[in-house]
Amino acid sequence: MSGKVLVVGFGPGSFEHITERAKKAIQESDMIIGYKTYVELISGLLGDQQIISTGMTEEVSRAQEAVKQAEQGKTIAVISSGDSGVYGMAGLVYEVLVEKGWKPTDGIKVEVVPGISAINSCASLLGAPVMHDSCTISLSDHLTPWELIAKRLDAAAQADFVIALYNPKSGRRTRQIMEAQRILLNYRSPDTPVGLVKSAYRDRQEIVKTTLADMLQHDIGMLTTVVIGNSSTFMYEDLMITPRGYQRKYTLNQTTQPLKPHQRLKKEAEPWALDQDVEIKSSRRWAEEALQAASGEAASTIVQQQVETIFEVAVSPGVVEKKFTPTQLATLAAIAGEKGSIEYTTDHYMKLSIPTLSPHEITEKLEAEGFLLFPVGSVVTVKACDFCEGEKDSSIPQVQQLQQLLGGMDVPKELKIGFNGCAMACYGAVNEDIGIVFRRGKFDLFLGAKTVGRTAHPGQPVAEGISQEEIVEMVTGIVHEYKEQGHANESFYKFFKRVGAVGGFIHRDVTPKIKLEPVPCGDD
């Protein structure tokens, strides 16, 4: 039985600006998935639905979880503020489905529920600034190269669009809005009206009317939408107004118009229109130009956006091997180049981040040098000791099998499997999500370590004396159980605690019983 994903845009956040279809979509859903702040904004519409709320930068996991739950027959609402198809979750949900080979005819159903986007809600508070041709540009360069954003700003400024800037500034991104102002001042008057609207139609709403020259003197943040007028936008009685162009044909202060209705669309009434200054070409002339283009005599400029991604990959000399050769290190440095980075991690691998158009070429070079490669992010990482530099090698086949079966597997949140080849457990396997210790020819198993926080603790010892034939199958089953039943961004520690049992092992609370002063973030 296939389910349904409802990608819901709920508008600016006030209850009265949520569409009736959006309200019904939320109420008819079995599960709500969204950014924490957005879930709080629609709390008045929620009933007994299951809620999965995650933080910033967790959009992919939210989309993946929605698809996963819908495939189990549920109706899932993925919520976005504004319109879900404008910098919202709609496109990402479709992208996740495309990667899975989804077909609309026989796959899960998808409905995109539109909402009021920020350009519309903010414009209504400013007056009527978006009465003519306009565009939206996000200044966030987390996913789009700044060079491309700058080109779009330049083109929009030249074309005299009214421009709405989304995501103009954050704690880390402070230069982008300054660069945007610099580009716009190349084409716009310093006195161009600008509206700054923060948290439109929410409790902390703030509205500022200013100019292009002075806009940076005011507070601008992630919740601000910056609306920049075009060359005809003006201020009147603290209202920002962009004329539609009616004054070209109409006399706005008279009730009797010089042009009658039947005259208003005639050519002589529109001397600025395209067909007033276009050469009427014969069919022969069209054919000649087509032949010129085909032969290369006439060249045209086609804009093609090069999709350069930041390719991230975990690089290790091997699941058991801990030493990089000089040649391997030189290869890493050469591949990273000036624009890439090599990050040391505590998980027995280097994280390589490289801007590239051809990720497969990089992986080919790394594999040719004998590197073990696996993805980073919400995947399984197998962390083994060095087996006393190979002297205690009896359990190496088992860790290699685990790496082959589970290494790099997608899971709700990064899962680390610690593996120690002797009872000394000197590499700290018991402090990982799943800990495996080889002792006297058999294995001990630990589950659900709390790996971070001031109440961090080792995993719960759940079994001793597991045979070499059983351990790989047992751990594989536990990981698959977590993969299928875990919520998006839910750690294995929290999953084990929530479900109460995994792999047949009952959860016991082994948190240290100590009193700690609460921290501001509310996390232990």
Side-chain angles (χ1 to χ4, degrees):
M1 179 178 65
S2 63
K4 185 174 184 179
V5 176
L6 299 165
V7 195
V8 182
F10 61 80
S14 58
F15 188 82
E16 60 267 28
H17 290 99
I18 303 176
T19 67
E20 284 302 313
R21 177 61 192 126
K23 293 175 185 176
K24 290 179 180 177
I26 291 168
Q27 291 165 350
E28 70 189 40
S29 299
D30 303 310
M31 177 182 290
I32 310 295
I33 298 178
Y35 173 48
K36 293 176 182 177
T37 300
Y38 298 163
V39 172
E40 292 171 2
L41 286 171
I42 64 162
S43 59
L45 295 173
L46 302 180
D48 58 356
Q49 300 103 323
Q50 187 175 355
I51 308 296
I52 296 180
S53 60
T54 58
M56 293 288 287
T57 75
E58 296 291 343
E59 293 86 359
V60 173
S61 65
R62 291 199 288 270
Q64 292 171 335
E65 183 69 13
V67 170
K68 171 184 166 182
Q69 295 293 334
E71 288 174 338
Q72 298 174 15
K74 299 176 183 177
T75 299
I76 311 300
V78 181
I79 60 172
S80 298
S81 67
D83 184 277
S84 58
V86 180
Y87 306 119
M89 291 293 294
L92 185 53
V93 168
Y94 278 124
E95 287 184 67
V96 169
L97 287 168
V98 169
E99 288 296 317
K100 295 171 70 69
W102 167 81
K103 301 293 182 185
T105 52
D106 53 10
I108 64 174
K109 305 301 179 186
V110 179
E111 179 185 348
V112 178
V113 181
I116 302 172
S117 187
I119 187 174
N120 305 114
S121 58
C122 295
S124 71
L125 294 168
L126 294 170
V130 192
M131 282 298 297
H132 217 302
D133 297 334
S134 62
C135 67
T136 61
I137 300 176
S138 171
L139 295 191
S140 174
D141 53 5
H142 289 310
L143 300 176
T144 305
W146 175 254
E147 180 183 0
L148 181 57
I149 296 172
K151 286 181 179 178
R152 290 171 176 169
L153 286 166
D154 193 276
Q158 286 192 59
D160 203 28
F161 280 105
V162 174
I163 304 171
L165 299 179
Y166 285 52
N167 308 314
K169 187 178 179 181
S170 69
R172 294 174 58 188
R173 292 184 304 102
T174 57
R175 289 181 52 205
Q176 287 80 352
I177 187 65
M178 298 168 64
E179 282 295 299
Q181 182 199 44
R182 182 187 64 77
I183 293 169
L184 293 167
L185 283 171
N186 290 332
Y187 307 98
R188 303 278 169 97
S189 165
D191 296 326
T192 301
V194 170
L196 310 175
V197 182
K198 180 179 180 181
S199 302
Y201 294 104
R202 300 182 191 176
D203 291 340
R204 297 184 179 180
Q205 173 182 291
E206 295 179 12
I207 303 169
V208 173
K209 313 314 182 17
T210 182
T211 64
L212 185 57
D214 295 336
M215 70 180 195
L216 297 186
Q217 298 179 19
H218 303 277
D219 181 41
I220 298 175
M222 273 296 291
L223 298 178
T224 306
T225 301
V226 181
V227 180
I228 300 161
N230 66 12
S231 60
S232 63
T233 304
F234 64 92
M235 297 298 299
Y236 178 79
E237 295 291 329
D238 204 35
L239 294 172
M240 188 173 168
I241 302 168
T242 300
R244 177 70 177 89
Y246 287 100
Q247 72 277 12
R248 291 194 177 100
K249 286 189 184 180
Y250 300 84
T251 304
L252 301 182
N253 61 356
Q254 294 181 11
T255 55
T256 302
Q257 297 299 321
L259 293 176
K260 304 303 180 185
H262 69 280
Q263 298 175 317
R264 293 170 189 165
L265 298 181
K266 290 183 176 294
K267 287 186 176 181
E268 54 268 26
E270 300 174 343
W272 53 81
L274 177 63
D275 60 2
Q276 299 286 25
D277 192 35
V278 173
E279 175 191 355
I280 299 176
K281 300 176 183 176
S282 65
S283 58
R284 178 185 177 87
R285 180 59 181 156
W286 284 113
E288 289 174 348
E289 290 187 1
L291 286 171
Q292 285 179 346
S295 64
E297 295 178 21
S300 61
T301 302
I302 298 176
V303 176
Q304 179 65 48
Q305 179 182 342
Q306 295 292 313
V307 183
E308 184 179 71
T309 60
I310 304 297
F311 177 56
E312 295 184 334
V313 63
V315 179
S316 164
V319 68
V320 176
E321 180 61 60
K322 296 294 180 286
K323 296 177 181 178
F324 290 89
T325 67
T327 302
Q328 287 178 325
L329 290 175
T331 300
L332 285 179
I335 290 174
E338 294 295 325
K339 294 184 177 180
S341 66
I342 305 171
E343 179 182 345
Y344 167 78
T345 76
T346 59
D347 297 322
H348 306 180
Y349 66 78
M350 297 285 196
K351 178 182 172 183
L352 198 59
S353 300
I354 306 172
T356 180
L357 297 171
S358 306
H360 66 280
E361 294 181 4
I362 294 174
T363 58
E364 287 177 358
K365 292 178 182 178
L366 293 170
E367 287 172 344
E369 290 297 332
F371 284 111
L372 173 65
L373 308 180
F374 45 96
V376 296
S378 296
V379 297
V380 176
T381 301
V382 179
K383 298 176 58 177
C385 66
D386 66 353
F387 299 87
C388 294
E389 297 190 346
E391 292 183 9
K392 299 179 180 180
D393 59 359
S394 300
S395 60
I396 288 179
Q398 282 72 36
V399 75
Q400 290 175 332
Q401 287 180 54
L402 288 170
Q403 172 61 38
Q404 183 177 6
L405 292 170
L406 303 175
M409 176 187 288
D410 289 330
V411 284
K413 192 170 185 176
E414 184 179 20
L415 174 72
K416 298 173 185 176
I417 300 175
F419 195 107
N420 274 124
C422 72
M424 288 292 291
C426 56
Y427 269 65
V430 299
N431 295 316
E432 304 296 350
D433 299 296
I434 298 176
I436 303 168
V437 177
F438 187 66
R439 179 173 63 88
R440 296 181 180 179
K442 295 184 181 296
F443 293 93
D444 298 338
L445 182 63
F446 299 78
L447 296 179
K450 189 172 188 290
T451 59
V452 295
R454 297 181 299 161
T455 56
H457 57 74
Q460 172 188 329
V462 295
E464 293 181 328
I466 304 168
S467 71
Q468 297 183 40
E469 294 73 27
E470 295 174 308
I471 187 64
V472 173
E473 182 179 356
M474 182 179 293
V475 172
T476 301
I478 290 169
V479 172
H480 278 282
E481 197 171 331
Y482 171 54
K483 176 180 173 68
E484 295 302 320
Q485 298 180 27
H487 294 161
N489 206 37
E490 181 181 40
S491 67
F492 183 78
Y493 159 77
K494 290 184 177 179
F495 166 74
F496 191 18
K497 184 177 181 180
R498 176 175 63 83
V499 298
V502 62
F505 300 113
I506 306 300
H507 176 267
R508 290 187 295 107
D509 188 3
V510 294
T511 304
K513 305 301 180 183
I514 54 177
K515 187 175 181 180
L516 293 173
E517 190 72 22
V519 291
C521 64
D523 194 2
D524 291 333

